[in-house]
Amino acid sequence: KAGVTQTPRYLIKTRGQQVTLSCSPISGHRSVSWYQQTPGQGLQFLFEYFSETQRNKGNFPGRFSGRQFSNSRSEMNVSTLELGDSALYLCASSSLAGTGSGEQYFGPGTRLTVT
Amino acid sequence: TQLLEQSPQFLSIQEGENLTVYCNSSSVFSSLQWYRQEPGEGPVLLVTVVTGGEVKKLKRLTFQFGDARKDSSLHITAAQPGDTGLYLCAGGLNQFYFGTGTSLTVIP
């Protein structure tokens, strides 16, 4: 079974620009969660989607948004990029949704650098 | 403020030594997971514990969930260089909350 894939793997953007990251979950998984990982804050939960609906949202500003398509693929968008948005963005897929249980399988991440 | 605190933050040991990593919180979790992450990759799930007092073993790794489901420990016996990586605990509530991480280096 293919794992979680994320594209692109690396991205360099300028302050003020916007960016869209993509995540394809494991086949059959309907839950996709997004996390931001930085050296200072560690792994922080952004949001979770299940069956095209946002189930949970972390404590991030409205510049961070996402969506999920009918094939469970998910995209995350960050508008008006700031230097502090530089991070590794990880997505995780699961067969369960929003309960804080079940097993999460992570993709390799997208390394975003904002200059 | 982190919901889950891990200790130690950094650990450098010689091959063959034993070590324990701790994951502590004041919150009760429905489950506790441990992951290992290598540079440039996403975390890989090692184990899930769901019952207070539960102990699980994965080869040389032993995981324990506290009786009150607020804390957990990871013990590695006879560490090997292949164990090097960032170890993360994650507690399940309405979402997963990740610990601060323990960076382990095993020196050959």
Side-chain angles (χ1 to χ4, degrees):
Chain A
K1 186 183 278 191
V4 179
T5 58
Q6 290 187 246
T7 57
R9 291 292 309 273
Y10 303 91
L11 206 49
I12 299 175
K13 290 286 189 179
T14 304
R15 271 182 303 176
Q17 289 185 315
Q18 74 167 14
V19 66
T20 299
L21 313 181
S22 179
C23 172
S24 292
I26 291 171
S27 177
H29 284 189
R30 292 159 64 190
S31 169
V32 173
S33 296
W34 287 90
Y35 294 86
Q36 180 195 66
Q37 186 175 31
T38 59
Q41 297 296 318
L43 262 160
Q44 302 284 319
F45 173 76
L46 281 157
F47 30 67
E48 182 206 0
Y49 285 87
F50 183 84
S51 294
E52 302 178 66
T53 301
Q54 187 180 90
R55 295 289 299 266
N56 281 302
K57 190 176 190 302
N59 189 25
F60 278 82
R63 299 185 297 107
F64 292 82
S65 62
R67 58 177 177 170
Q68 187 179 35
F69 301 95
S70 58
N71 62 358
S72 293
R73 188 177 70 86
S74 177
E75 287 183 349
M76 189 192 106
N77 184 273
V78 188
S79 63
T80 318
L81 285 165
E82 300 177 0
L83 294 179
D85 297 333
S86 294
L88 181 66
Y89 289 89
L90 294 158
C91 84
S93 80
S94 174
S95 58
L96 300 180
T99 58
S101 61
E103 297 183 344
Q104 293 190 108
Y105 297 88
F106 282 84
T110 294
R111 171 73 62 187
L112 171 65
T113 301
V114 182
T115 62
Chain B
T1 303
Q2 292 281 358
L3 205 59
L4 282 164
E5 296 288 340
Q6 285 184 239
S7 62
Q9 189 176 358
F10 299 96
L11 194 53
S12 181
I13 62 171
Q14 295 289 327
E15 182 177 359
E17 292 184 352
N18 302 333
L19 67 116
T20 302
V21 177
Y22 299 93
C23 175
N24 295 298
S25 177
S26 57
S27 298
V28 176
F29 295 102
S30 57
S31 67
L32 201 295
Q33 299 183 335
W34 284 92
Y35 295 80
R36 182 171 68 213
Q37 183 178 21
E38 299 187 18
E41 299 297 328
V44 175
L45 179 65
L46 297 173
V47 76
T48 300
V49 285
V50 296
T51 305
E54 183 176 2
V55 177
K56 281 193 175 180
K57 292 190 176 183
L58 184 66
K59 296 183 181 178
R60 295 174 295 98
L61 278 61
T62 302
F63 305 86
Q64 184 162 9
F65 201 11
D67 291 341
R69 305 208 314 276
K70 293 182 179 180
D71 52 77
S72 181
S73 64
L74 157 61
H75 182 79
I76 301 179
T77 303
Q80 299 178 0
D83 296 327
T84 293
L86 179 67
Y87 287 82
L88 295 158
C89 63
L93 286 173
N94 59 330
Q95 64 186 58
F96 282 104
Y97 294 89
F98 278 80
T100 47
T102 295
S103 180
L104 171 65
T105 302
V106 182
I107 303 166

